[in-house]
Amino acid sequence: MNKRLIPKRLVEISLFNIAAMNPAALIEDGEQAYRRRLELAADSILESGAKIIMLTGPSSSGKTTTSIELAETLEQHGTPAQVVSLDNFFIGAENYPILPNGNRDYESPATLDMPEINRCLAELNQTGKSDIPIYDFARERRADHRQHIDLQGGVCIMEGIHALNPLLTELLPDDGVFYIYAGLREEYAQDGVRTINTREIRLCRRVLRDMMTRGHSPEKTLSMWNDVLEGENQYVRIYKPRADLILDTSFTYELGVMAGLLDKALHTLDASCPQYEMMQETARDFVGVHKIPVECVPADSMLREFYGAFHNV
């Protein structure tokens, strides 16, 4: 398979501010560009003939919603597609490895039931059918019932941070699997000097999403961030070269949406907490960015994964 790589782009914030004066056009351009990337991914999958699609990406890269959007794009091409989350294969929090700092390691592949993943993927590849486990997040353990998957002649998109780990697909033929790495490919600069990188964009996405939809304070999300990045370096990025396609999940106009929301996160933090300075420094990078109201994010945008809850505030 031919690997299609996309170099990162460096956008001048001053130029962004000019474009953001017409937010409708900027938003339309961003959404259409993302749709074209999905079309390219769907064409590449169909060209490969693979039945199993493994899709990964770092935290807050948008891989979950992108998997759903990709499945819908494949359906529009006449190919049935079902998304399966690797989260269903968690072994239960009480069995997770312990980090040197005493915290449970939620990023390790040891959190997953590898033999069960191997079995399900082998069945889906051979017969198009399998019964997969369901994880109960409220109880942090596997549910008593399972979900029956029938690909109906189509493909399975399995998404999760460990999807490119070769241990998951070691029982499958090489030509039966297509690997996708979803990630941000756009960063921002002042006078040619990079000031906002992709990690910072992902951190802001995660802080804002978790604050509104997961009941996590910015303090909690920020306190976990270094462990998340360490897990990505150790378990995710090392397998990026295996990807057959890099799927860009950047939206230029998102910069303005973030600029209008970060103060909400900053104001929830007490100035005495250890994470306050980190959040303040992050918010400072967005000073001078033209703000775009969150209400402008289209109802069918992938970005609703991170900002949809703000529409109800």
Side-chain angles (χ1 to χ4, degrees):
M1 298 178 187
N2 295 322
K3 187 174 297 186
R4 302 178 183 182
L5 299 176
I6 304 171
K8 284 187 177 180
R9 305 178 297 279
L10 192 62
V11 176
E12 278 287 340
I13 291 176
S14 59
L15 296 178
F16 166 84
N17 287 340
I18 294 172
M21 297 299 290
N22 184 1
L26 187 61
I27 291 169
E28 178 67 16
D29 287 347
E31 294 294 334
Q32 289 300 320
Y34 177 69
R35 296 295 166 189
R36 289 193 294 272
R37 295 171 206 148
L38 289 174
E39 290 288 341
L40 171 63
D43 289 343
S44 300
I45 289 168
L46 295 176
E47 181 182 336
S48 75
K51 187 181 293 185
I52 305 298
I53 318 304
M54 305 298 287
L55 191 151
T56 193
S59 173
S60 299
S61 58
K63 59 184 173 294
T64 300
T65 303
T66 292
S67 296
I68 296 170
E69 299 273 9
L70 180 57
E72 292 176 355
T73 304
L74 286 163
E75 294 273 0
Q76 293 164 8
H77 283 253
T79 299
Q82 293 200 41
V83 177
V84 174
S85 172
L86 278 173
D87 291 356
N88 287 308
F89 296 90
F90 283 148
I91 59 176
E94 72 277 6
N95 299 310
Y96 292 174
I98 303 298
L99 293 166
N101 62 12
N103 295 334
R104 293 195 182 277
D105 186 356
Y106 286 85
E107 311 300 321
S108 169
T111 61
L112 299 174
D113 186 342
M114 290 294 181
E116 186 71 355
I117 294 171
N118 294 154
R119 181 191 67 78
C120 290
L121 284 177
E123 288 181 353
L124 288 170
N125 185 62
Q126 294 167 9
T127 70
K129 299 179 182 181
S130 186
D131 292 321
I132 68 168
I134 298 174
Y135 192 73
D136 185 338
F137 282 91
R139 297 188 299 163
E140 291 195 316
R141 53 178 288 188
R142 187 170 293 175
D144 296 330
H145 58 289
R146 289 175 171 259
Q147 178 185 1
H148 181 68
I149 299 293
D150 184 347
L151 299 183
Q152 299 179 337
V155 302
C156 170
I157 302 174
M158 184 165 282
E159 66 88 11
I161 62 171
H162 300 295
L164 265 59
N165 188 315
L167 293 176
L168 277 67
T169 52
E170 61 184 1
L171 300 183
L172 302 180
D174 290 341
D175 60 357
V177 189
F178 190 88
Y179 300 97
I180 298 176
Y181 188 97
L184 298 164
R185 308 305 297 166
E186 187 166 283
E187 300 182 318
Y188 306 93
Q190 294 274 20
D191 300 323
V193 178
R194 184 178 64 176
T195 55
I196 301 174
N197 60 29
T198 55
R199 284 189 174 185
E200 194 167 5
I201 293 292
R202 292 193 294 111
L203 172 61
C204 293
R205 280 182 174 184
R206 181 160 173 157
V207 165
L208 293 167
R209 179 198 63 194
D210 289 3
M211 180 177 71
M212 296 299 292
T213 65
R214 299 189 177 182
H216 293 177
S217 67
E219 181 178 358
K220 179 175 182 178
T221 301
L222 291 165
S223 68
M224 296 170 57
W225 188 239
N226 285 337
D227 286 346
V228 170
L229 293 180
E230 180 59 31
E232 290 173 1
N233 291 334
Q234 192 172 355
Y235 304 124
V236 182
R237 294 183 183 280
I238 59 172
Y239 299 119
K240 189 175 181 179
R242 300 190 75 214
D244 297 300
L245 182 140
I246 305 296
L247 182 51
D248 184 2
T249 55
S250 301
F251 291 77
T252 300
Y253 78 87
E254 183 182 10
L255 188 71
V257 176
M258 280 184 175
L261 294 175
L262 285 177
D263 278 349
K264 294 180 183 293
L266 185 60
H267 290 158
T268 66
L269 288 171
D270 189 286
S272 63
C273 83
Q275 287 74 36
Y276 181 81
E277 185 176 344
M278 180 181 179
M279 190 72 243
Q280 188 178 47
E281 183 179 344
T282 299
R284 192 179 299 124
D285 290 337
F286 287 80
V287 172
V289 173
H290 186 88
K291 296 177 181 178
I292 295 177
V294 68
E295 293 78 14
C296 293
V297 178
D300 61 349
S301 175
M302 184 276 279
L303 291 179
R304 284 292 185 112
E305 176 181 341
F306 304 101
Y307 310 115
F310 285 95
H311 288 250
N312 302 320
V313 176

